[in-house]
């Protein structure tokens, strides 16, 4: 569930501001950021359960198309309220089409197909490997992203956790290899998209909301073209899977992105991205408690190792300056 955008940096006013003898404090958000952080973790954590329920009544491509339609509708409403316009320029739209494929259309579809044969708990844990893939790719594609001993140790620890979850010493007994591979490929797709956006769309002058709205719109168009070619129109519309798909799109793909933007603007990208490490915990709890999925000891133990390794790969060398609240490029890790 996810997106990468380039927030627009606010430019200073043309004339120097007047000194106000009675300055007005900036309005505080109505809801504390910790509560919004928890809500975001729950929304993205439950997304894997919603995918499982949705694919019980509809084809994976139909579920993905549905979530994109509902997610795009939420972003369109937000843009209308804030009077935002879609980006302009063929070059920007061309890059956004690629971003939409790697950050939305492809991973959403892969997770939907994966959950036909693997439990939602495993899909949620596979999702947590995104930072591991991202570190490997960034070392190749981003020259300024230098490895450290801590990050390399985190990479090794993370993949040890993956092997633990899969029970590698038991020959991956009881796991569907194809479904697991699709979930891991979905997780790999996210950092590919992040790096592409970072190299092509940083500093375009468009707002993050405008770019994300365009990205989801393009992903919706891509799925609208693909879905009829691989699926047939449903003859009946099961209500519960339909509601799950609607919630997956409106909450997990639309509202969650808006919450994440607010978090990043308020507490910075590093804290905002920590939600990634809560997602597999919530996905596992939801799958076991609500869907009755089985849980072997290797799943929670491996998940803890994966999360620890992923966290270590995000450690950077400390610099003398504090982290800016409005970064040039914010990685918004929309999940599932």
């Amino acid at each position: 569930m996810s997106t990468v955008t380039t927030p627009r940096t606010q430019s200073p006013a043309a004339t120097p501001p007047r000194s106000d003898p009675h300055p007005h404090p900036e309005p505080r958000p109505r809801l504390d950021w910790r509560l919004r952080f928890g809500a975001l973790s729950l929304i993205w954590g439950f997304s894997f359960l919603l995918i499982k329920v949705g694919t019980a009544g509809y084809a994976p491509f139909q579920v993905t198309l549905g979530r994109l339609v509902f997610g795009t509708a939420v972003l369109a409403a937000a843009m209308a309220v804030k009077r935002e316009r879609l980006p302009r320029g063929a070059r920007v739209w061309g890059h956004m089409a690629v971003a939409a494929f790697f950050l939305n259309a492809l991973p959403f579809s892969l997770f939907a197909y994966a959950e036909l044969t693997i439990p939602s708990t495993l899909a949620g844990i596979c999702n947590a490997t995104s930072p591991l893939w991202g570190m490997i790719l960034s070392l190749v594609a981003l020259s300024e992203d230098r490895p450290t001993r801590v990050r390399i140790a985190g990479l090794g620890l993370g993949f040890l956790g993956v092997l633990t979850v899969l029970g590698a010493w038991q020959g991956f007994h009881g796991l569907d290899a194809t479904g697991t591979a699709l979930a891991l490929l979905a997780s790999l797709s996210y950092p590919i998209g992040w790096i592409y956006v970072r190299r092509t769309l940083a500093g375009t002058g468009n707002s993050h909301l405008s770019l994300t709205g365009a990205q989801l719109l393009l992903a919706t168009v891509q799925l609208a073209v693909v879905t009829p070619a691989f699926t047939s129109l449903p003859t009946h519309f099961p209500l519960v899977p339909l509601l799950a798909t609607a919630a997956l799109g409106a909450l997990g793909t639309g509202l969650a992105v808006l919450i994440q933007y607010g978090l990043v603007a308020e507490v910075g990208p590093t804290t905002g991205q920590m939600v990634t490490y809560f997602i597999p915990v919530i996905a596992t709890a939801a799958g076991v408690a609500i869907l009755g999925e089985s849980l072997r000891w290797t799943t929670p133990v491996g998940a803890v190792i994966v999360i620890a390794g992923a966290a270590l790969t995000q450690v950077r060398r400390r610099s003398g300056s504090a982290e800016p609240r409005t970064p040039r490029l914010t990685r918004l890790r929309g999940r599932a």
Side-chain angles (χ1 to χ4, degrees):
M1 38 213 110
S2 114
T3 54
V4 175
T5 52
T6 54
R8 177 173 54 196
T9 303
Q10 298 294 332
S11 59
T15 57
R18 295 184 303 170
S19 59
D20 189 347
H22 303 288
H24 300 283
E26 294 183 3
R28 294 184 178 181
R30 295 181 180 179
L31 198 61
D32 185 80
W33 74 266
R34 296 170 186 84
L35 295 177
R36 286 177 283 137
F37 183 97
L40 183 61
S41 302
L42 286 172
I43 290 172
W44 274 339
F46 270 84
S47 292
F48 296 94
L49 180 149
L50 294 175
I51 292 173
K52 194 74 171 179
V53 175
T55 53
Y58 300 96
F61 274 139
Q62 293 170 345
V63 172
T64 303
L65 176 60
R67 74 177 293 184
L68 285 170
V69 168
F70 285 106
T72 302
V74 172
L75 267 293
M79 291 178 63
V81 170
K82 296 188 176 183
R83 297 183 179 180
E84 290 275 359
R85 295 182 177 180
L86 290 172
R88 297 181 179 179
R91 175 182 174 276
V92 173
W93 280 90
H95 290 314
M96 289 306 303
V98 177
F101 176 75
F102 283 109
L103 293 171
N104 302 111
L106 180 61
F108 290 178
S109 300
L110 289 175
F111 272 123
Y113 271 101
E115 291 200 39
L116 291 177
T117 56
I118 67 172
S120 64
T121 54
L122 179 56
I125 294 171
C126 288
N127 178 81
T129 64
S130 260
L132 307 178
W133 298 119
M135 177 186 166
I136 294 175
L137 293 174
S138 65
L139 295 179
V140 177
L142 301 174
S143 59
E144 70 273 16
D145 204 354
R146 301 297 183 183
T148 64
R149 292 180 179 178
V150 172
R151 296 181 68 197
I152 292 175
L155 183 64
L157 184 64
F159 282 109
L160 177 62
V162 173
L163 294 177
T164 302
V165 171
L166 301 181
W169 62 90
Q170 299 174 342
F172 308 105
H173 178 70
L175 291 177
D176 182 78
T178 301
T180 304
L182 290 177
L184 291 173
L185 284 175
S187 302
L188 172 61
S189 181
Y190 287 123
I192 293 175
W194 298 333
I195 292 173
Y196 181 84
V197 170
R198 184 172 176 177
R199 295 177 70 93
T200 60
L201 288 170
T204 60
N206 296 288
S207 72
H208 58 265
L209 182 58
S210 174
L211 287 173
T212 303
Q215 179 179 309
L216 287 182
L217 176 61
L218 288 168
T220 303
V221 172
Q222 291 169 359
L223 261 294
V225 172
V226 171
T227 301
F230 291 91
T231 64
S232 57
L233 189 67
T235 56
H236 63 287
F237 297 86
L239 181 58
V240 173
L242 180 60
L243 292 176
T245 301
L248 180 64
L251 299 179
T253 309
L255 179 61
V257 170
L258 299 177
I259 296 175
Q260 174 79 329
Y261 284 137
L263 284 174
V264 169
E266 183 176 348
V267 300
T270 299
T271 302
Q273 289 171 13
M274 287 181 64
V275 68
T276 302
Y277 309 122
F278 290 85
I279 294 172
V281 177
I282 296 172
T284 300
V288 173
I290 299 177
L291 297 180
E293 295 177 345
S294 61
L295 188 67
R296 300 179 301 173
W297 70 266
T298 55
T299 301
V301 171
V304 170
I305 299 174
V306 169
I307 294 170
L312 288 177
T313 63
Q314 303 306 298
V315 174
R316 299 291 193 274
R317 292 188 178 93
R318 292 185 177 181
S319 58
S321 58
E323 179 184 44
R325 291 299 176 97
T326 308
R328 286 187 178 182
L329 181 66
T330 302
R331 295 180 181 178
L332 299 182
R333 303 187 176 186
R335 281 296 172 260

